Amino acid sequence: MTVAGSNGTRALILTGGGARAAYQIGALLAINRLRGKSKRNPFPIICGTSAGAINAAGLACQADNFRQATGSLNTFWRHMRTADIYRVDAASVAAAGARWLAVLTTGWLTGRAPRSLLDNAPLASLLKRHIDFPGIERSIESRALRALNITASGYDSGESINFFQALPEVLPWQRSQRLGLRTTLGTEHLLASSAIPFIFPAVRIHREYFGDGSMRQFAPLAPAIHLGADRLLVIGATRASEQRRRGEYGDSDYPSLAQIAGHALSSIFLDGLSVDIERIQRINRTLAAMPEALRQQQGVSLRPIETLVISPSQSLDRIAAEQASSLPWTIRKLLGGLGAMNPQGGALTSYLLFEKNFTRRLIDLGYADTLAQSEAVGSFLELT
């Protein structure tokens, strides 16, 4: 955690991670408990990436009543089923498996490739039912919200695109491989931001196809700063280290496809955030050592940024491995061939395990982890 001045503009940053994003709901419930009966939105700026984008939109569309918004998301995640997110019926899963098998055997003849491993059409319907997108603009007009930012990754441009809806005075921005574009947010932006590579299909917005916002997101904290924040609360969905003790599972075997895929996804969802936090800490230390007069003389435009990070205290891989049997049998069969039903494959399973046994465990963990930092959270929120 880095500490700067108080009374700045706060932002809430919700990271990605598929089903792991249920952890964020527990953290938000704990924040409500610490704030007592207050319904006011404590985060004028809300930024979401991947599954965190869904939570961000849920908060933004009811920003005039933060407590109610959090309660709605709690209900949403506590009653989650995998079938609500992607198709799990035998015909759909068998067809997906057959398409991938075909491309590996005869794809060179047809020149056609499957778009994704799973069909997330149910998620689109779920979002349309549960997210009141016009409520985002109402929240902005009432000044309960300054800005909502949803990040997605462009497959053609290779750029990290930050789609934002905000007060009129908030301006777009452009940096190396990063753009901030004003738009009216909708279902397509959430689907694009949460389109985990290979697993869920890319989504076309205007002229380009987009995938999961965590890809190529070299500066995950930057959108909030561009939108005017200087105090950042980051709720992650991955531990800083998911490494297991040597020998925990016996002699090391060659990694399964699920283990390799889980490792790759964890790198996408975690590495950029860790590097960006370290960068801000270095800048804060440099600014603290530089007299204000010298800063003005040199024309230094940087400002201190306060950051507080809440992340899981337990391995979500392990929890997912313990709950993997709650997946629909069709998905267990599909993932079993990749090694995802073994303890070592828990990382991949954790991104796809949209079942209440798992999501409720994560909500409870997020709640406990946040209360364990109640003093730091209270200071960040300036609670008396």
Side-chain angles (χ1 to χ4, degrees):
M1 181 180 71
T2 62
V3 180
S6 60
N7 300 316
T9 300
R10 284 189 293 260
L12 175 66
I13 299 176
L14 302 174
T15 64
R20 292 168 174 250
Y23 175 88
Q24 297 167 353
I25 306 308
L28 294 170
L29 291 172
I31 288 172
N32 275 335
R33 174 177 171 178
L34 294 172
R35 297 178 70 232
K37 298 181 180 180
S38 176
K39 297 179 181 179
R40 183 179 58 84
N41 173 28
F43 305 105
I45 297 169
I46 302 177
C47 300
T49 303
S50 193
I54 297 173
N55 292 337
L59 292 174
C61 69
Q62 299 185 73
D64 59 332
N65 191 331
F66 187 79
R67 180 174 293 275
Q68 180 176 305
T70 304
S72 297
L73 286 171
N74 182 40
T75 300
F76 178 87
W77 282 97
R78 280 194 175 274
H79 296 87
M80 185 73 70
R81 297 181 309 141
T82 302
D84 294 330
I85 307 301
Y86 53 87
R87 297 191 187 280
V88 299
D89 59 282
S92 296
V93 175
R99 286 193 295 269
W100 280 99
L101 180 61
V103 77
L104 292 174
T105 54
T106 62
W108 57 277
L109 288 174
T110 63
R112 299 179 62 185
R115 294 194 168 193
S116 61
L117 178 64
L118 299 171
D119 180 357
N120 64 344
L123 175 59
S125 299
L126 186 69
L127 294 176
K128 290 176 181 178
R129 293 196 306 270
H130 287 273
I131 304 296
D132 176 24
F133 288 99
I136 298 171
E137 189 60 31
R138 291 196 299 269
S139 296
I140 292 171
E141 290 176 350
S142 68
R143 299 277 171 162
L145 181 72
R146 174 179 171 85
L148 169 65
N149 183 87
I150 303 298
T151 303
S153 180
Y155 279 114
D156 292 332
S157 65
E159 293 179 321
S160 180
I161 307 298
N162 298 282
F163 298 102
F164 70 88
Q165 194 167 341
L167 290 171
E169 60 264 30
V170 177
L171 301 177
W173 66 89
Q174 182 172 2
R175 297 292 186 273
S176 176
Q177 296 185 305
R178 292 182 282 130
L179 291 176
L181 301 177
R182 178 184 292 275
T183 191
T184 298
L185 294 167
T187 304
E188 67 275 18
H189 298 94
L190 302 189
L191 290 174
S193 184
S194 58
I196 300 175
F198 298 108
I199 296 176
F200 295 139
V203 177
R204 185 166 186 168
I205 301 176
H206 303 305
R207 298 181 180 180
E208 186 173 9
Y209 279 96
F210 290 88
D212 197 290
S214 297
M215 296 186 294
R216 311 205 73 173
Q217 192 180 35
F218 303 120
L221 306 183
I225 297 172
H226 283 297
L227 292 168
D230 52 19
R231 308 184 68 204
L232 314 180
L233 176 61
V234 184
I235 305 180
T238 305
R239 291 179 71 191
S241 174
E242 289 279 6
Q243 296 178 349
R244 300 179 176 89
R245 294 186 302 272
R246 186 187 302 272
E248 183 175 348
Y249 297 113
D251 294 337
S252 178
D253 297 321
Y254 190 82
S256 66
L257 288 175
Q259 193 172 355
I260 294 172
H263 181 77
L265 290 176
S266 294
S267 298
I268 290 173
F269 289 120
L270 177 64
D271 289 353
L273 177 61
S274 300
V275 171
D276 210 18
I277 290 173
E278 290 180 358
R279 182 186 301 118
I280 285 181
Q281 290 174 336
R282 289 196 302 271
I283 292 173
N284 282 354
R285 287 194 295 267
T286 300
L287 292 175
M290 183 181 297
E292 180 63 29
L294 180 59
R295 276 196 239 171
Q296 295 179 0
Q297 180 182 352
Q298 297 295 326
V300 176
S301 60
L302 296 174
R303 65 185 189 274
I305 302 295
E306 177 184 354
T307 62
L308 176 63
V309 181
I310 299 173
S311 59
S313 60
Q314 299 178 26
S315 169
L316 303 192
D317 295 4
R318 181 188 297 279
I319 297 174
E322 294 171 354
Q323 302 294 329
S325 60
S326 63
L327 278 166
W329 71 269
T330 51
I331 304 302
R332 294 201 305 270
K333 292 293 184 182
L334 179 66
L335 297 181
L338 303 177
M341 302 308 292
N342 299 323
Q344 296 91 332
L348 178 59
T349 304
S350 69
Y351 295 103
L352 301 176
L353 187 48
F354 294 94
E355 292 291 334
K356 61 184 180 182
N357 290 351
F358 181 59
T359 59
R360 291 181 181 184
R361 283 278 299 273
L362 267 55
I363 291 171
D364 293 343
L365 179 61
Y367 187 83
D369 286 347
T370 304
L371 290 184
Q373 296 190 59
S374 58
E375 184 175 344
V377 173
S379 176
F380 182 89
L381 297 175
E382 298 178 304
L383 302 177
T384 55

